[in-house]
Amino acid sequence: MKKRKGKIFVLSSPSGGGKTSVCECLKKENFGVRFSVSATTRKPRANEKNGRDYIFLSEGRFKKLRSHGKFLEWTFNFDDLYGTPKDFVKKILSSGKDVILAIDVKGAMQIKKIERPSVLIFLLPPSFGHLKKRLKGRRTEDKETITKRLRIAKRELSYSNRYDYTVVNNSLREAVDTVKAIIIAERNRVRR
Amino acid sequence: MKKRKGKIFVLSSPSGGGKTSVCECLKKENFGVRFSVSATTRKPRANEKNGRDYIFLSEGRFKKLRSHGKFLEWTFNFDDLYGTPKDFVKKILSSGKDVILAIDVKGAMQIKKIERPSVLIFLLPPSFGHLKKRLKGRRTEDKETITKRLRIAKRELSYSNRYDYTVVNNSLREAVDTVKAIIIAERNRVRR
């Protein structure tokens, strides 16, 4: 039997749209899927752990790795650099496992262009008002930052129709179950 | 909000491959999906009820309806005619509900050609030996009929790569859950 190659699942949402919460749930459930850890130059938030939530890098280090082609995709977002470590993801895929990349719209569009089996999922907030409320509830950013994030969110939402799937995040449980269903379905999809 | 149009889900398997059992389970679970009832000229088996399992028609009546374009697809299979009533399916779709068509390979290929959102699922037996055992276990056909069905099954299996999804029917429970996951995923698929 030919060994199955893993698939890349991209999970995007605007800031505060819930992609981190959905990933946390999937991790806990041991769903047989691996998670990519992004590299970033932004400062760690409280409770964020290096190597678990992100790989925190200096700008110099990030740019050096980037120049050596060590990122599958990278983006400049909200004054900081973000990137997906290429070797890590490739290793998971060739072991036959699927991998989830929780990345933003610009990164997702780069992954879409690459010739790999990749599946793009966009988590939609039930409404724009919901998103506003969630971002404010997080209390990790000041007012100006929130306004900026909302402006970006609006632009990001306009990309959702370039994704393969959209999942309305009415409740975390429902969103997680739908993402799981998409992964199961995609494992059974005929490759051409 | 624009009203969602339902999707056609085609479920095929070789004879004895389990499509009827999978549909029975889905019906019991009230999964929010409707089921098409095929018309056929073949004789009812024991326990089969007209209007529930099939719409049993004379050959003359079938051909008359066919000449009036009343079938979405029709096939000549195993000495009998089978067809999917067009009006019934169209009514379900325009009400926004999804519909499952448990039909054979030739019918599925006709549905695939039609410009509608349709999703093709093929239930694969775990092995050819399994299929043989199941058909013999059914005890509704004589030896000659079983041999003929197996020959047809071999040909049908070769069509599986033209489907959108293949589901290995290792256990009924698992197969039903996978078909449900595919339906949930497809409901969240972005239409282009």
Side-chain angles (χ1 to χ4, degrees):
Chain A
M1 210 171 114
K2 212 174 73 183
K3 200 181 172 189
R4 182 188 180 273
K5 201 187 162 223
K7 265 189 186 182
I8 293 180
F9 288 89
V10 169
L11 190 63
S12 299
S13 74
S15 284
K19 64 174 178 293
T20 311
S21 308
V22 167
C23 282
E24 285 310 314
C25 272
L26 286 170
K27 275 177 198 171
K28 274 179 204 153
E29 291 186 23
N30 236 328
F31 189 57
V33 66
R34 304 284 299 274
F35 295 83
S36 162
V37 180
S38 293
T40 183
T41 60
R42 86 153 161 75
K43 299 274 167 290
R45 288 188 199 132
N47 302 320
E48 282 185 338
K49 208 177 143 182
N50 189 30
R52 185 193 63 185
D53 301 296
Y54 284 95
I55 299 158
F56 295 101
L57 300 176
S58 67
E59 203 173 313
R61 179 83 183 129
F62 190 104
K63 287 180 175 170
K64 197 175 174 185
L65 288 170
R66 191 181 63 187
S67 71
H68 284 93
K70 294 291 187 194
F71 294 121
L72 204 57
E73 57 80 31
W74 68 270
T75 56
F76 188 72
N77 194 16
F78 208 60
D79 300 336
D80 293 301
L81 290 157
Y82 292 82
T84 299
K86 193 191 272 179
D87 294 347
F88 181 73
V89 170
K90 278 190 157 177
K91 214 171 145 184
I92 295 170
L93 294 177
S94 58
S95 79
K97 291 243 188 264
D98 298 319
V99 61
I100 294 184
L101 274 51
I103 56 175
D104 80 342
V105 162
K106 284 174 281 177
M109 293 302 115
Q110 290 175 52
I111 296 293
K112 198 181 169 175
K113 272 189 211 151
I114 304 170
E115 283 308 317
R116 276 187 184 82
S118 65
V119 177
L120 273 60
I121 306 169
F122 197 96
L123 271 180
L124 289 169
S127 70
F128 201 70
H130 269 84
L131 191 66
K132 221 165 158 175
K133 216 171 136 188
R134 264 190 230 175
L135 265 176
K136 283 181 179 167
R138 202 155 72 176
R139 293 174 196 281
T140 49
E141 286 108 359
D142 57 33
K143 208 181 157 186
E144 200 191 330
T145 311
I146 290 173
T147 309
K148 199 172 170 186
R149 281 204 187 272
L150 283 171
R151 203 172 55 235
I152 295 171
K154 226 171 222 169
R155 202 167 52 215
E156 288 178 323
L157 284 169
S158 71
Y159 276 83
S160 63
N161 62 351
R162 302 204 200 170
Y163 280 63
D164 299 305
Y165 299 92
T166 52
V167 176
V168 179
N169 193 1
N170 278 313
S171 81
L172 182 60
R173 187 66 257 159
E174 208 183 299
V176 169
D177 285 342
T178 306
V179 171
K180 279 164 77 175
I182 292 168
I183 296 171
I184 292 170
E186 284 290 339
R187 284 176 179 164
N188 287 275
R189 187 168 264 277
V190 175
R191 296 192 184 185
R192 291 196 173 87
Chain B
M1 208 172 114
K2 214 176 74 184
K3 201 180 170 190
R4 182 187 180 273
K5 201 187 163 222
K7 265 189 185 183
I8 293 180
F9 289 88
V10 168
L11 190 63
S12 300
S13 73
S15 283
K19 65 175 177 293
T20 311
S21 308
V22 168
C23 282
E24 285 310 314
C25 272
L26 286 170
K27 275 178 199 170
K28 274 178 204 155
E29 292 186 24
N30 237 328
F31 188 58
V33 66
R34 304 285 298 275
F35 295 84
S36 161
V37 180
S38 294
T40 183
T41 60
R42 84 153 160 76
K43 299 274 168 291
R45 288 186 198 134
N47 302 321
E48 282 184 337
K49 208 176 143 183
N50 188 29
R52 184 192 65 185
D53 301 296
Y54 284 95
I55 299 158
F56 294 101
L57 301 176
S58 68
E59 203 173 313
R61 178 83 184 130
F62 190 105
K63 287 181 174 170
K64 195 175 175 187
L65 288 170
R66 189 180 66 185
S67 71
H68 285 92
K70 293 292 186 192
F71 294 121
L72 206 57
E73 56 80 32
W74 68 271
T75 56
F76 188 73
N77 194 17
F78 207 61
D79 300 336
D80 293 301
L81 289 157
Y82 291 83
T84 299
K86 193 191 273 180
D87 294 347
F88 181 71
V89 170
K90 277 190 158 177
K91 213 172 146 183
I92 295 170
L93 294 177
S94 59
S95 78
K97 292 244 186 264
D98 298 318
V99 61
I100 295 185
L101 274 53
I103 56 175
D104 80 342
V105 162
K106 283 174 280 176
M109 292 303 115
Q110 290 175 54
I111 296 293
K112 197 182 170 175
K113 271 189 211 152
I114 304 171
E115 282 308 318
R116 274 187 185 83
S118 65
V119 177
L120 274 61
I121 306 169
F122 198 96
L123 272 179
L124 289 169
S127 69
F128 202 72
H130 269 85
L131 190 68
K132 218 166 160 176
K133 217 172 135 187
R134 265 191 228 174
L135 266 176
K136 281 180 180 167
R138 200 154 74 176
R139 295 175 193 282
T140 49
E141 287 107 359
D142 57 33
K143 207 180 158 185
E144 198 190 331
T145 310
I146 290 173
T147 307
K148 198 172 170 185
R149 281 204 187 273
L150 283 171
R151 201 171 58 234
I152 293 170
K154 225 171 220 170
R155 200 166 53 215
E156 287 177 324
L157 285 169
S158 71
Y159 275 83
S160 62
N161 62 351
R162 302 203 199 173
Y163 279 63
D164 300 302
Y165 299 92
T166 52
V167 176
V168 179
N169 193 1
N170 278 312
S171 82
L172 182 60
R173 187 64 258 160
E174 208 183 302
V176 169
D177 285 341
T178 305
V179 171
K180 278 164 78 175
I182 291 168
I183 295 171
I184 293 170
E186 284 290 339
R187 283 174 179 165
N188 287 276
R189 188 170 266 277
V190 175
R191 297 191 183 185
R192 289 194 176 90

